[in-house]
Amino acid sequence: MSEIKFPAEVVWHMYEGMLVSRMLDTKCFNDFAEWYPAFGEEAVTIGAFGSLIEGDFAVPHYRGSMGVFWLRGMSLEQIIGGLLFKTNSVSLGRLSGLHGGDFTKKIMPSVTNVLGPNISSGTGLAMAEKLKGGKGVTVIGFGDGTAALGTLHETLNMAKIYNLPVVYVCQDNQYSISSRSNEFHSWDSLATWAAGYNVPSSRVDGNNILAVRAEVDAGIERARNGGGPTFIDALTFRMGGHLSTDKALYQADDEKLTWENKDPIKNLENHMLNELGISAVEASVFRADVQSRVLDAWAKVISSESVTLESK
Amino acid sequence: MSSKRLTLREAVVEAIDLEMALDPTVVMLGQDIGAFGGPLQSTEGLWERYGDSRIIETPVAEQGVVALGIGMSLNGLRPIIDLMFADFLPLVANELLQLSANLNYMSNGKARAPFVLRTRGGDGPYRAHPQNMEALLSNVPGLCVVTPGSPAAAKGLMVAAMRSDNPVVYIEPIFLYQGPKEEVRSEQYAIELGKAAIPRVGTDVTLVCYGRTVRLMQLAAAKLEEQGIDCEIVDLQTVTPFDRAAVIKSAEKTRRLVVAHDAWMNCGIGAEIVATVVSEVDLIARPVRLTGPDVPTAYATALRDNSRPTVDNVVNAVTKMLARK
Ligand SMILES: Cc1ncc(C[n+]2csc(CCOP(=O)(O)OP(=O)(O)O)c2C)c(N)n1
Ligand SMILES: [Mg+2]
């Protein structure tokens, strides 16, 4: 799948992250009337946030955020507790699961579902880090539709003039609800917009986690060494509707098929089989193990205490 | 005279449809309002009828889009700006409050902005965007804020909004969006802005409401009637500027006042109603405000569902008020 090589344990960890994300999404998609799955976008979320270390900040996009929560060390129980509005979740059950990042683990929660403010306030985290002389880097994810908001443009300009340690990753699934990105944005790639602010920018295959991770790693290194912001447009595809009830009739059949064949999880499995000599049996045992951990955690959490107005 | 049973959503769409057929200057701007049929099906069928030149889809760029719409309205068109949800009103507050609200007065009537900003607010079956932002827009003079409480009102108020020569923010209550249905006259008709409706005439207590709480008050009034209590319901329809004369007149008659809205209490519409009434009318009981609690609106259904005023809240408030005589 690519020339890019990562150590086997890093690859296994990527694989695990993508599976956790996919399986949580599948469960939520089946159980909840209102759910916004990141099917097909896992290489972007897990690739972009996989290299962060302690002291770094993660500001994930809402879609696929749970994979990022897991990467940053939130337990499956905590994540599922958020999904089910349980008092033992980080928000005491107040926030929806996909918005409820644990700030003590340096994950920015989404306390408004208005798109945009987290891009700029996330950049503020990076600004403070720089002023304090810290080494932390901030990675900020957002959607292609969100990129049309003025706040991204104001922020890119400031990130550049203040030379901030931040990596912007557009989770470019080519849609904002029913609107096709290429009809509503005057870009060839979103990276060309960022280049207009003199921010080093590139487009990457967002269904290839190795490519995403390598590109983000370069950005993180630049940021850590005082080189300022980086912008990455990770091109991927929203496999399905905006939310559970949306049948995505506006996506063309051949378009759907093309991208289904580029499923990022299958991509990585092929790499593991072909390049790392992992057997299909090993992979499927691993998958089953992740699945049972997710379902076990779910079963454990479901009977725990739900939030009420009296919860403190 | 023909009529049809419509949901509130269908009534709004019908109003827009008929007006677009009558008036070629009416156009619409918004996200996903084309073939997709609009957020919560709020533009169903319009794109098929009026096409890309009048149903204009936009990027996710609300601030720019609202200002664009204001500019269009200054140059001969009557745009309807579809803001997906009322949660986004703070995002476009500058354009609404400092540009559109000021235009008429500051230009001495020379620059008028006849646009409608329609949006969907409050909790409801669709759980994603539950907040109520009407009070935020009501503190600044120059804007008209409308919230219908029934399908028939929704149609007439939308028509009046589209025909108004000044900016109107039209908030569609999500809670009532897909039902219950009501008979709605098929011809085009307008309900005057700034005028309340009295859907129930009574003598014992004045129940002031708008949007979802109109239905709430009706259900409560029916229960109270069983106890021999005769309620008068004042549906504001236009939240700002509200119909002071109608509210005062009703309160003078009943001398008891309950206001209910889903929005927060602090500096809310209820405060304004109560202040207005107590400074004009000698009430015989302390007025009551029933509102959402002054805490951020959580996502958890258990929290939200217990944060809205209920029929029982109204019934209890009224019976207590009358017991105190
Ligand atoms: C400012 C703002 N406008 C509109 C919305 C409604 N909305 C919710 S998700 C969404 C899609 C945004 O598209 P994108 O940024 O590409 O993210 P994706 O859903 O594709 O992951 C929209 C428009 C919002 N939440 N905030
Ligand atoms: Mg998108």
Side-chain angles (χ1 to χ4, degrees):
Chain A
M1 121 191 201
S2 78
E3 313 290 280
I4 306 160
K5 298 271 184 280
F6 283 94
E9 70 271 16
V10 173
V11 175
W12 276 109
H13 191 250
M14 292 176 182
Y15 188 44
E16 186 178 356
M18 288 205 285
L19 291 172
V20 165
S21 177
R22 179 72 59 97
M23 285 166 185
L24 281 169
D25 261 343
T26 305
K27 178 78 177 139
C28 294
F29 183 78
N30 292 335
D31 283 20
F32 303 148
E34 187 209 320
W35 185 253
Y36 307 82
F39 297 140
E41 304 177 27
E42 296 90 345
V44 182
T45 49
I46 304 300
F49 292 89
S51 293
L52 293 185
I53 54 175
E54 222 186 309
D56 292 342
F57 271 105
V59 184
H61 182 45
Y62 75 93
R63 195 184 297 282
S65 59
M66 294 185 303
V68 181
F69 299 168
W70 179 85
L71 282 174
R72 293 296 283 166
M74 282 174 67
S75 68
L76 287 173
E77 282 81 2
Q78 278 178 327
I79 295 170
I80 295 165
L83 291 168
L84 298 173
F85 303 124
K86 299 299 188 183
T87 53
N88 55 10
S89 70
V90 288
S91 77
L92 200 77
R94 289 174 179 157
L95 273 175
S96 94
L98 91 176
H99 294 120
D102 184 353
F103 195 66
T104 65
K105 294 192 160 60
K106 292 196 156 46
I107 312 165
M108 185 81 139
S110 298
V111 299
T112 166
N113 46 24
V114 182
L115 299 167
N118 269 14
I119 301 175
S120 358
S121 54
T123 303
L125 299 172
M127 179 111 172
E129 193 67 14
K130 182 177 169 181
L131 293 176
K132 292 192 299 182
K135 276 276 158 222
V137 170
T138 301
V139 174
I140 302 178
F142 53 90
D144 47 298
T146 305
L149 282 165
T151 195
L152 172 72
H153 298 264
E154 296 171 21
T155 302
L156 282 176
N157 182 45
M158 291 189 282
K160 184 62 190 179
I161 62 173
Y162 300 131
N163 200 40
L164 301 181
V166 51
V167 182
Y168 299 95
V169 181
C170 181
Q171 193 169 320
D172 185 351
N173 63 11
Q174 308 184 52
Y175 281 90
S176 168
I177 308 187
S178 73
S179 307
R180 287 191 60 88
S181 219
N182 59 9
E183 291 171 21
F184 288 89
H185 303 106
S186 70
W187 68 45
D188 297 323
S189 152
L190 181 47
T192 60
W193 277 8
Y197 299 99
N198 286 328
V199 174
S201 56
S202 59
R203 171 175 268 185
V204 63
D205 175 358
N207 282 35
N208 177 345
I209 190 166
L210 306 180
V212 173
R213 175 102 172 228
E215 199 70 14
V216 174
D217 282 356
I220 290 177
E221 195 179 306
R222 174 182 290 126
R224 233 185 277 288
N225 295 326
T230 299
F231 189 98
I232 296 162
D233 176 21
L235 186 68
T236 180
F237 185 72
R238 198 187 69 205
M239 282 176 22
H242 168 60
L243 78 170
S244 350
T245 48
D246 171 15
K247 302 278 173 280
L249 301 174
Y250 43 82
Q251 291 182 345
D253 287 342
D254 57 338
E255 182 186 29
K256 287 185 198 174
L257 195 66
T258 309
W259 286 91
E260 244 166 65
N261 291 328
K262 298 196 218 179
D263 185 320
I265 298 186
K266 295 217 185 77
N267 262 350
L268 186 67
E269 280 170 358
N270 288 337
H271 170 78
M272 292 168 77
L273 265 50
N274 301 333
E275 313 279 326
L276 301 184
I278 288 155
S279 74
V281 175
E282 265 179 287
S284 96
V285 169
F286 189 79
R287 271 201 308 274
D289 176 57
V290 175
Q291 168 116 36
S292 63
R293 277 191 279 139
V294 168
L295 296 180
D296 288 352
W298 198 287
K300 214 163 107 190
V301 171
I302 200 153
S303 54
S304 65
E305 187 190 323
S306 296
V307 67
T308 66
L309 286 177
E310 286 71 43
S311 303
K312 280 203 175 88
Chain B
M1 207 187 296
S2 74
S3 68
K4 250 190 272 163
R5 288 183 70 74
L6 300 178
T7 61
L8 192 149
R9 174 186 69 82
E10 290 164 342
V12 176
V13 174
E14 182 170 289
I16 295 171
D17 186 3
L18 294 177
E19 201 65 13
M20 288 187 79
L22 284 171
D23 180 352
T25 67
V26 177
V27 299
M28 195 178 312
L29 292 166
Q31 290 166 41
D32 300 283
I33 62 173
F36 185 67
L40 308 186
Q41 294 300 292
S42 51
T43 61
E44 193 180 18
L46 295 177
W47 176 78
E48 288 77 355
R49 235 153 290 149
Y50 301 102
D52 287 336
S53 62
R54 294 183 67 192
I55 301 293
I56 304 164
E57 291 199 83
T58 71
V60 184
E62 286 82 358
Q63 269 191 295
V65 168
V66 170
L68 196 78
I70 294 169
M72 289 162 72
S73 75
L74 289 168
N75 190 19
L77 296 183
R78 289 183 172 270
I80 300 166
I81 305 165
D82 188 289
L83 186 73
M84 206 176 274
F85 294 107
D87 280 16
F88 312 152
L89 283 168
L91 175 62
V92 299
N94 193 45
E95 286 68 18
L96 284 179
L97 300 179
Q98 312 219 63
L99 176 56
S100 82
N102 289 353
L103 271 165
N104 185 13
Y105 182 81
M106 297 294 198
S107 75
N108 193 22
K110 306 221 165 39
R112 319 231 10 195
F115 71 90
V116 181
L117 185 138
R118 73 180 288 220
T119 186
R120 287 148 282 281
D123 207 355
Y126 180 69
R127 288 292 189 166
H129 296 279
Q131 300 178 99
N132 298 282
M133 296 289 181
E134 58 273 14
L136 202 68
L137 303 180
S138 296
N139 185 238
V140 170
L143 271 189
C144 177
V145 182
V146 172
T147 296
S150 72
K155 180 171 174 182
L157 290 166
M158 177 49 93
V159 173
M162 290 184 288
R163 293 179 183 173
S164 166
D165 287 332
N166 286 310
V168 177
V169 177
Y170 184 97
I171 304 176
E172 302 164 27
I174 297 176
F175 206 92
L176 305 176
Y177 218 43
Q178 317 287 9
K181 290 192 182 195
E182 180 181 67
E183 253 348 279
V184 177
R185 278 189 283 145
S186 299
E187 85 215 348
Q188 191 74 322
Y189 60 90
I191 295 175
E192 196 183 340
L193 300 180
K195 285 273 181 287
I198 314 283
R200 191 185 195 287
V201 178
T203 52
D204 293 337
V205 57
T206 296
L207 308 178
V208 177
C209 49
Y210 58 89
R212 184 191 74 93
T213 53
V214 175
R215 189 164 159 69
L216 184 85
M217 293 305 208
Q218 280 164 337
L219 296 171
K223 278 198 169 183
L224 288 162
E225 187 171 9
E226 290 166 17
Q227 303 177 24
I229 299 171
D230 187 16
C231 303
E232 176 149 304
I233 299 176
V234 180
D235 169 3
L236 294 179
Q237 305 189 121
T238 297
V239 176
T240 302
F242 76 92
D243 188 345
R244 297 168 68 97
V247 171
I248 289 169
K249 189 168 161 219
S250 176
E252 270 171 350
K253 176 169 65 172
T254 66
R255 298 180 63 204
R256 293 186 189 89
L257 174 68
V258 176
V259 190
H261 54 64
D262 288 348
W264 299 287
M265 180 179 279
N266 192 47
C267 299
I269 303 297
E272 195 54 40
I273 303 284
V274 169
T276 301
V277 169
V278 297
S279 54
E280 302 272 342
V281 181
D282 285 323
L283 296 176
I284 51 179
R286 289 179 195 155
V288 170
R289 283 178 289 164
L290 299 170
T291 70
D294 284 327
V295 293
T297 311
Y299 286 69
T301 42
L303 299 182
R304 289 185 192 188
D305 289 349
N306 294 312
S307 301
R308 283 190 298 272
T310 64
V311 171
D312 284 346
N313 293 156
V314 179
V315 169
N316 291 342
V318 171
T319 42
K320 215 167 128 191
M321 198 179 267
L322 270 103
R324 233 198 249 138
K325 247 189 243 226

